[in-house]
Amino acid sequence: MKLLRHDIRLILKGLREIGRLRRHLLSLSIITAALEAIYPFINIYMTGLIIGAIALKQEWKTLVLLVCITVASNLLMLLLLNALNSKARIWEQEFDILYERKLNCKFANLKYEETEDPSVHALKEKIRELKNMSGKGLVFILSSFRSVVKSSVSVAAAASLVYPLFISYDNSENGRNIINSPVFSVLLLACIIFNVFLNMNSNRKITQKMYTILNNMIPFNKVFGYYLDSYISTYHAGKDIRLYNQKEFIDSEIKNLFDENVNPTVERLGKNESKYRTLTTVSAVFISALTYLFVGLKALLGMFDVGMVVRYVGSINEFTNAISVFMTQFTLLRSNSEALALYFDFTEKPEQSEDGFRTIGIDSFDNAASFEFEFKNVSFKYPGSDNYALKNISAVIGFDRKTAIVGKNGSGKTTFIKLLCRLYTPCEGQILFNGTDIREFRYEDYLSLMAVVFQDFQLLSAPVGQNVSAGSDYDEDTALRCLDEVGLRERIESFPAGLESFIYKDFDQSGIEISGGEAQKTALARALYKGSPLVILDEPTSALDPIAEFEIYKKFNEVAEHKAVIFISHRMSACTLCDDIMVFDNGMLVQTGAHGELLKDKSGVYFELWSSQAQHYIQR
């Protein structure tokens, strides 16, 4: 009983969620389902009247009137149902889009640490797989709820038409036999109920087995979907597929997966269904025969006319089917609880970093302004790790200063930047902005302070101008100026549509394929366009040659006057342009100072890093 209450609460919660995503969709589904349930009974009722009128040899005018009413009722009902179903299909498509949007927007609003958690990605994929493979989850409630409503109305309508059959008896001398006794009525009802439970149990077992079989297909679908959707269908993979003859490899992989998974699965699904359907078919035939016998014998005894035979037989069949569907769909709704729980586990995860209450006016940071970021004894471990990524870091980043952060791979450089950007929160210590803990500031205000270009930056398949502004609207002069400052203006102006030229071909066949270096310059232009007082470059120029990278950094120093700039690069040449250098090693800040000062310490990490690269540029 406790489990039943839990399942019902989840179902009701799912219905409320559907109502939030697409208003009035459930109301439309209820109305449509109710009319679909009533529709068969119009013909059952009217056919009974017409046949009864014929048997009683009523006037032809009566027959014509009944036929006209039947035709008009059918026509009106069909027109109404077509209109409602057409509207329902549109709303259901909208709901499907809104459902996907909800999942994607939720992922975009999660705390950053959640987006790097493999279990969160696995949860999101599991929700999609259950929807795509077996229709489970929130979408399933929509279709199943409609079936429940339809079957409920059908049961009520059938019961209202057939109940006189079971309560009317002939107590005359001629009517005293087993057919007219309550015993036969109870026997028929018992058989109907038995058939319903047999159908329900069979459908439950078929469905459970089907979901088990289909769940085993999920790993196959991941691989299959990767090759067909994520790899072959993207034009980026075209060169590798041809140059390395990957087509044969992919073909063989798909064929093997198909032979090992799809064919056996289809065979198992067929055997599973035929095993249970045989029994339910025999039972249904037996109930139909018993129903016809019961109703026919009562009609022969004169209990009612032949028209009522049609009404009663049709209504009993509808009742039997409807109650079976109701019980089956309710069972399926309960079996959907696991998928629903996964959906709500994901959508109810906490979002973004905690918001503060202090505001920051970005406009106040003009050429005369000053600011300071300070790390005070900051230590940090990634979630699920026992090892410190950063340990006891104390450092100051000031206004109008150029800072280089260097160190070997895994030394903690990027983690330092993630903490500064509030993507993560320190486990120990504080990060201050002008003496105030950064968590006290409104999140959006705080982010306005900085423009960051990470090494794994992303560009949109959108016009160049929108990529530079990171929005649908942009100031053309500002965008061109920023592109000019990174050395890309001439290239962009050579495009047919200039700033309106699409990058990549995903949405525009005339889209421009830019090189890796040009993509990085576009990302740098985006950082300049934002106009923040702090610019952070986390190895964004790896696709450029050393000379081009040095020129970009040099240019940045010129255009970023009165800004704080942080350079993170494996190429040490950027350090000569900086006022301050921070050297990380094994998660610790081991050296700070200017370039010349740090080179004097020949036993230090900085000298080792500088010397290891300098030897490659010394002419021999």
Side-chain angles (χ1 to χ4, degrees):
M1 186 59 70
K2 185 178 180 181
L3 182 59
L4 176 62
R5 287 197 298 269
H6 170 265
D7 292 343
I8 291 174
R9 281 196 297 268
L10 267 178
I11 293 167
L12 293 175
K13 189 175 181 180
L15 291 171
R16 289 192 295 270
E17 179 74 353
I18 292 171
R20 282 191 290 267
L21 287 175
R22 184 56 177 92
R23 289 183 62 196
H24 309 309
L25 178 56
L26 284 177
S27 300
L28 180 62
S29 295
I30 291 170
I31 294 170
T32 306
L35 291 175
E36 286 177 341
I38 293 170
Y39 178 54
F41 292 98
I42 294 175
N43 287 320
I44 289 172
Y45 185 81
M46 294 305 299
T47 301
L49 290 179
I50 291 171
I51 293 175
I54 293 172
L56 296 174
K57 298 181 180 180
Q58 294 183 3
E59 294 183 4
W60 66 270
K61 291 182 180 180
T62 303
L63 285 173
V64 170
L65 178 61
L66 291 173
V67 170
C68 288
I69 292 173
T70 304
V71 172
S73 299
N74 273 274
L75 182 60
L76 179 62
M77 187 64 79
L78 285 173
L79 290 174
L80 185 56
L81 283 174
N82 284 336
L84 291 174
N85 279 316
S86 178
K87 176 65 72 175
R89 281 192 293 271
I90 294 171
W91 285 11
E92 284 167 5
Q93 289 173 357
E94 291 176 359
F95 168 76
D96 202 45
I97 294 170
L98 293 169
Y99 169 82
E100 290 294 333
R101 179 174 176 267
K102 173 73 178 279
L103 292 179
N104 289 324
C105 288
K106 180 65 185 184
F107 195 80
N109 290 326
L110 288 176
K111 289 184 176 181
Y112 181 76
E113 63 191 66
E114 298 271 20
T115 68
E116 289 194 332
D117 187 344
S119 66
V120 176
H121 286 268
L123 176 58
K124 183 168 177 278
E125 285 305 308
K126 182 71 172 177
I127 293 168
R128 282 223 168 94
E129 287 162 4
L130 286 170
K131 173 179 175 283
N132 296 333
M133 277 294 297
S134 52
K136 286 293 196 80
L138 197 63
V139 176
F140 180 81
I141 289 187
L142 191 58
S143 60
S144 193
F145 175 71
R146 181 166 170 167
S147 296
V148 167
V149 172
K150 182 179 178 180
S151 58
S152 300
V153 175
S154 292
V155 168
S160 67
L161 289 180
V162 82
Y163 85 94
L165 177 65
F166 293 94
I167 63 173
S168 61
Y169 305 105
D170 185 356
N171 293 317
S172 66
E173 192 68 29
N174 292 331
R176 291 175 185 169
N177 57 56
I178 187 64
I179 299 300
N180 271 318
S181 72
V183 175
F184 204 131
S185 298
V186 172
L187 177 63
L188 179 59
L189 282 173
C191 290
I192 291 173
I193 293 170
F194 172 78
N195 184 63
V196 166
F197 279 96
L198 180 65
N199 272 279
M200 184 183 69
N201 185 59
S202 296
N203 286 331
R204 179 178 58 82
K205 289 183 176 179
I206 289 171
T207 305
Q208 287 177 345
K209 189 70 174 178
M210 179 187 71
Y211 286 145
T212 301
I213 294 171
L214 291 178
N215 280 337
N216 293 332
M217 288 283 292
I218 289 176
F220 159 76
N221 278 305
K222 279 185 177 180
V223 179
F224 198 75
Y226 168 75
Y227 281 128
L228 294 185
D229 297 328
S230 303
Y231 193 73
I232 292 178
S233 61
T234 61
Y235 64 88
H236 299 290
K239 297 187 290 293
D240 288 331
I241 289 173
R242 286 154 182 80
L243 292 175
Y244 291 97
N245 194 26
Q246 293 177 341
K247 180 179 177 297
E248 291 185 7
F249 166 73
I250 294 171
D251 281 346
S252 64
E253 281 289 290
I254 291 175
K255 184 179 183 302
N256 291 336
L257 287 167
F258 198 91
D259 292 341
E260 293 172 6
N261 293 274
V262 176
N263 289 334
T265 298
V266 171
E267 185 177 346
R268 289 173 64 194
L269 286 172
K271 289 180 178 178
N272 173 55
E273 185 154 351
S274 63
K275 175 182 176 182
Y276 294 102
R277 289 300 182 204
T278 302
L279 183 60
T280 56
T281 301
V282 171
S283 174
V285 170
F286 173 76
I287 294 300
S288 295
L290 191 61
T291 300
Y292 279 107
L293 179 64
F294 179 71
V295 176
L297 289 175
K298 277 204 168 190
L300 286 174
L301 292 173
M303 296 291 296
F304 42 77
D305 61 53
V306 68
M308 298 299 290
V309 173
V310 175
R311 181 188 299 180
Y312 289 144
V313 170
S315 297
I316 289 174
N317 286 334
E318 288 291 333
F319 177 86
T320 304
N321 292 332
I323 199 167
S324 178
V325 168
F326 176 85
M327 298 298 290
T328 300
Q329 289 299 324
F330 185 71
T331 302
L332 292 177
L333 275 173
R334 290 191 62 192
S335 71
N336 187 51
S337 296
E338 179 186 357
L340 271 183
L342 292 175
Y343 172 83
F344 288 116
D345 284 347
F346 179 74
T347 57
E348 291 176 356
K349 284 184 174 295
E351 297 186 358
Q352 291 291 12
S353 298
E354 56 187 85
D355 216 0
F357 58 92
R358 296 180 183 272
T359 59
I360 300 174
I362 186 66
D363 295 336
S364 66
F365 291 96
D366 53 23
N367 291 348
S370 63
F371 62 85
E372 181 180 87
F373 293 92
E374 182 181 3
F375 279 62
K376 291 186 67 174
N377 302 315
V378 171
S379 296
F380 177 74
K381 296 177 183 177
Y382 280 100
S385 174
D386 295 328
N387 300 320
Y388 281 99
L390 288 178
K391 182 65 175 175
N392 199 30
I393 303 297
S394 294
V396 174
I397 298 169
F399 164 75
D400 203 17
R401 302 287 291 179
K402 309 299 183 286
T403 304
I405 298 179
V406 298
K408 299 174 184 177
N409 286 335
S411 60
K413 305 186 297 296
T414 298
T415 302
F416 178 86
I417 297 303
K418 288 178 178 179
L419 290 172
L420 180 61
C421 295
R422 277 178 71 178
L423 295 176
Y424 282 100
T425 301
C427 299
E428 302 167 19
Q430 284 182 303
I431 303 174
L432 308 176
F433 173 70
N434 286 349
T436 302
D437 193 307
I438 62 174
R439 288 172 291 187
E440 294 186 17
F441 295 102
R442 292 183 63 248
Y443 188 66
E444 293 299 326
D445 281 6
Y446 181 76
L447 290 186
S448 68
L449 293 172
M450 55 193 68
V452 190
V453 184
F454 286 106
Q455 53 188 317
D456 55 351
F457 68 89
Q458 298 292 319
L459 295 183
L460 296 168
S461 187
V464 176
Q466 292 182 9
N467 269 286
V468 173
S469 69
S472 56
D473 299 321
Y474 61 90
D475 181 81
E476 184 174 340
D477 292 336
T478 305
L480 288 173
R481 174 178 57 79
C482 294
L483 289 166
D484 184 52
E485 289 171 349
V486 298
L488 202 56
R489 177 170 181 166
E490 186 176 342
R491 167 71 167 142
I492 299 303
E493 290 183 328
S494 71
F495 293 165
L499 288 172
E500 283 299 302
S501 299
F502 267 74
I503 295 178
Y504 309 132
K505 300 180 184 292
D506 298 276
F507 306 121
D508 190 335
Q509 291 184 353
S510 62
I512 308 299
E513 287 295 323
I514 59 177
S515 68
E518 289 170 337
Q520 290 180 327
K521 288 180 178 180
T522 305
L524 292 169
R526 181 167 62 191
L528 289 174
Y529 188 96
K530 187 176 181 182
S532 299
L534 171 63
V535 180
I536 303 171
L537 308 179
D538 183 5
E539 299 193 62
T541 54
S542 57
L544 301 176
D545 60 73
I547 295 175
E549 180 188 54
F550 181 78
E551 290 300 320
I552 284 288
Y553 283 161
K554 185 178 179 181
K555 185 72 173 176
F556 243 90
N557 266 350
E558 296 172 2
V559 302
E561 186 179 7
H562 303 301
K563 292 180 184 288
V565 181
I566 298 176
F567 298 105
I568 301 177
S569 176
H570 280 97
R571 293 172 182 161
M572 305 297 291
S573 58
C575 297
T576 61
L577 303 171
C578 295
D579 305 302
D580 307 303
I581 301 169
M582 299 165 60
V583 185
F584 283 81
D585 189 45
N586 292 322
M588 301 182 68
L589 181 59
V590 294
Q591 288 181 285
T592 58
H595 171 67
E597 177 186 349
L598 292 176
L599 279 181
K600 293 177 183 177
D601 183 2
K602 296 187 176 181
S603 62
V605 175
Y606 184 79
F607 183 83
E608 177 188 352
L609 293 170
W610 177 267
S611 300
S612 64
Q613 286 193 14
Q615 62 179 330
H616 297 296
Y617 300 101
I618 298 175
Q619 188 174 7
R620 299 182 184 278

